[in-house]
Amino acid sequence: WWEARALTSVRMSLDMADPLLGRDASYYLFHLPWQRVLHTFATTLVVVMALVVGALYVAVGAVRRQGRRMQITGLARMHLGALLVMLALALFWGYRLEPAEYVAGIHGVPFDVILTRVRVPVARLLSALALAAAASSLLWIWLERAILPIAMWSVLAGASIVGHYIAPAFAAAVRAPEEVAFADDAGMRADFERVAYGLPRSVTAATEWMPGGPLPDWDRATIWDGFAVSVALDRANPVYLATRALDHEAAQRTRDLTWEEVHRGALRAASGVFAVAADRSSAVGLPLFIPEPARPDVTTELVTEVGLGQARMWFAPGVRDFAVVEPADGVRHAVTVTGLAGRLAMAWVLQSARLLSTSSVPTGSSVLWERDVTSRMERYAPFARFGLAYPVVAGDALYWVATGYVSAEGFPGTRGVEWRGEGVRYLRGGLVGVVAAGSGETAVYLTEDADPLSRAWASLLPESVRPVGDVPSELRDHLRYPAELLTVQRGLLAPVGGSPSRIERDPLVLREVGRPDAPAWWLGTSPSDSVERLRRFAIVEGEGGAVRWFLDGTMRDVRPVLEVVDFSAWFEGTGPTRAARRLAAADSGTREIVGPVRSIPTASGLVHVRTVYESAEAPAAPAVRGVRAAWAGLDFAGATLGSIARDLEAAGPPDAAGARWDEARRWFERMDAARRGGDWGAFGEAYEALRRLMGSVLDSVP
């Protein structure tokens, strides 16, 4: 509970009040959590005390039954009466907090008319009854007759059951759905969710976002997929900048590892960083390696490591065991083993008796632990939870970078989402964690224009959270849009079912399984942004596989920016699921390895591409065979995306009128089928889609 206590000292106004209680939204982030902690402790303490004291009085005979009456001694009555007064006051406190908890969404109650007209008045009534129960319990201390407190506590219990469960259900049952919902609920929710989840202020129409025109130059666009690079490098992480990793469990399956091998020998740390050109391949389709990331045009077909000043990665994802290092290893930040007391303390902390032996750990040696970079960041900044760390080479050093997320259980006017197995109503990625792979130096930075909760922690812990200006210049271009946040943002626009996209290994063939519309990384431009950036694209598909929303998440000047494009009125809205089926037709009957479908926005619509690799038996590396693309009802194939772009441009822009007419015909067929089947809900949906497609306005007249 220390986090909730620390946030109470934050003095920050969000200048937006909830529409029911009129409290500033900062109250729900910085003050309500601590009040709930205190109330929970107080209630638990009083209940436990009352049960224990009551049981003890029964055991000694101070509370006993004689005939049909309960006999209680004067001292026991005074003691139990005081505890009942304390319990009633704790309930009073809880009922007073209930309206704020309802507004924050902590109890999962919808923000509607039932909340304002039933639940909040009931909470206020129950708080008054709790005070009456406290007064009756106080009188019982002096009056022997227990009829008054029994009656008041019975009334309070009955009113609580009726008010919390029966009355709201009955009130919702006697009202029509349109009478329950607030008329301005969507507008209010949009303002609060913009703060809670980083959603943009406005949505761009696809017709404005893609005005038409020439296609971009894709000669340097990505054709390699991460899973194929993983196979090519053999046991390397599936990224374009890949690193070797320690896997003690895999080594243990082949032979028994000794303590010296794991903690003092070759298995202390991994070494080996590889850079692969993601936009081209060799003449036979194999990866091209880059010895110096600062000179990406210099490539070789030989498997070549990147030269680093510190070759060993003492700190990396998944490294759990401690390491004993010598002065010759060149590690600056390590704890030196000194004296018997120091050895005892270290052996206790790391649960290893071998640290007491000078033969296993010579005097003058040092010990490194907390070497898993994600857990290291979270120990350094325990108020945040960090995402998947990715490697970055800056200068001659390797760094691990990860997004730091902050969340809150309650926030007014927002929908709840599930994140890492927890229900939250506030989630932002306003922090960046950096760990040096060679030294373990750890830093956490605040992004530009960060959210209120991240800024609050930065103000509370300025020694731990550095300002955005301190981000090293060589790392700025490698920061990524928060991937987990984009997944949540996509789900808020339209809930997406099913499991996320994944790559499954087959003994002979790698094949894509899962959702084709899984978010994907893309290095390039967009119709509204001519600067080449690392982007996180995500698509929300509607009925029939048509694109409903397109999300473009980028980092601009160390600031995460999300652009949401509405495709509901776009004439060519084919989504990746439908495009995957089209492209799969060309793959049928072959043993090729196909990568996932990626959707790339251009000024003339979405182009869906996938890379095709030569089929090969494991453990041989896959070789690029070519790239296939689907665009505006046309299919293309080429050696690179640059050649496909030239073919697309030669084909000319899509026939907007013809495509719009085909789309209108499909919606009319659905509308007519729904009319004949009596499915008026589907009829209305098709009618609305047809109306938007034709550009009609509401309530049009002949």
Side-chain angles (χ1 to χ4, degrees), residues 341-683:
R343 288 179 179 272
L344 283 171
M346 203 169 292
W348 176 262
V349 169
L350 300 177
Q351 292 294 291
S352 177
R354 296 288 294 271
L355 293 172
L356 297 174
S357 171
T358 56
S359 60
S360 298
V361 184
T363 302
S365 300
S366 301
V367 179
L368 294 173
W369 67 90
E370 287 292 346
R371 298 198 293 149
D372 177 69
V373 293
T374 302
S375 63
R376 188 175 183 85
M377 294 176 189
E378 293 181 353
R379 288 291 295 271
Y380 184 82
F383 51 84
R385 299 176 70 178
F386 288 83
L388 183 67
Y390 56 92
V392 171
V393 171
D396 64 346
L398 176 68
Y399 298 90
W400 296 100
V401 183
T403 299
Y405 298 91
V406 294
S407 62
E409 182 184 4
F411 196 75
T414 61
R415 289 166 290 176
V417 299
E418 185 176 351
W419 176 67
R420 297 192 179 186
E422 300 177 357
V424 299
R425 289 182 178 267
Y426 183 103
L427 177 67
R428 297 295 296 272
L431 302 168
V432 175
V434 179
V435 175
S439 65
E441 293 182 67
T442 305
V444 173
Y445 301 95
L446 187 72
T447 62
E448 186 178 346
D449 193 24
D451 65 285
L453 192 53
S454 298
R455 285 189 281 116
W457 283 116
S459 65
L460 290 173
L461 301 170
E463 299 86 357
S464 297
V465 184
R466 303 182 186 181
V468 63
D470 291 351
V471 177
S473 57
E474 60 269 20
L475 294 179
R476 286 175 176 261
D477 293 337
H478 297 280
L479 302 183
R480 301 180 180 180
Y481 190 86
E484 294 181 50
L485 179 61
L486 186 72
T487 301
V488 170
Q489 291 168 332
R490 183 178 73 162
L492 288 170
L493 289 174
V496 180
S499 59
S501 181
R502 55 191 173 89
I503 299 300
E504 184 178 85
R505 293 185 184 273
D506 186 270
L508 297 179
V509 178
L510 290 176
R511 63 180 185 272
E512 180 200 3
V513 295
R515 298 188 61 88
D517 61 345
W521 294 105
W522 170 260
L523 181 63
T525 63
S526 74
S528 62
D529 183 15
S530 60
V531 178
E532 188 177 76
R533 310 179 194 273
L534 183 62
R535 305 175 183 276
R536 184 73 166 170
F537 287 156
I539 287 179
V540 176
E541 294 183 318
E543 184 181 357
V547 176
R548 183 68 179 87
W549 305 95
F550 187 91
L551 285 71
D552 177 13
T554 58
M555 296 293 291
R556 303 183 186 181
D557 298 328
V558 202
R559 178 170 59 96
V561 176
L562 175 67
E563 186 169 14
V564 179
V565 184
D566 184 2
F567 269 76
S568 60
W570 183 254
F571 65 88
E572 195 274 313
T574 301
T577 301
R578 192 185 300 173
R581 286 196 289 265
R582 282 175 49 188
L583 294 174
D587 304 330
S588 60
T590 67
R591 292 175 57 81
E592 296 170 340
I593 305 171
V594 295
V597 174
R598 289 170 289 174
S599 301
I600 307 168
T602 70
S604 298
L606 293 180
V607 179
H608 309 285
V609 301
R610 80 184 320 163
T611 304
V612 182
Y613 304 90
E614 292 285 356
S615 178
E617 295 187 0
V624 173
R625 180 175 178 177
V627 183
R628 296 195 180 113
W631 176 59
L634 303 175
D635 295 336
F636 298 85
T640 64
L641 280 178
S643 62
I644 287 183
R646 287 185 285 272
D647 292 341
L648 293 174
E649 189 170 2
D655 183 4
R660 188 183 295 272
W661 175 255
D662 292 340
E663 189 77 7
R665 183 174 56 190
R666 286 194 295 268
W667 282 113
F668 178 79
E669 291 173 353
R670 292 185 188 179
M671 186 172 64
D672 190 55
R675 178 190 62 80
R676 287 184 274 105
D679 187 352
W680 299 113
F683 180 89

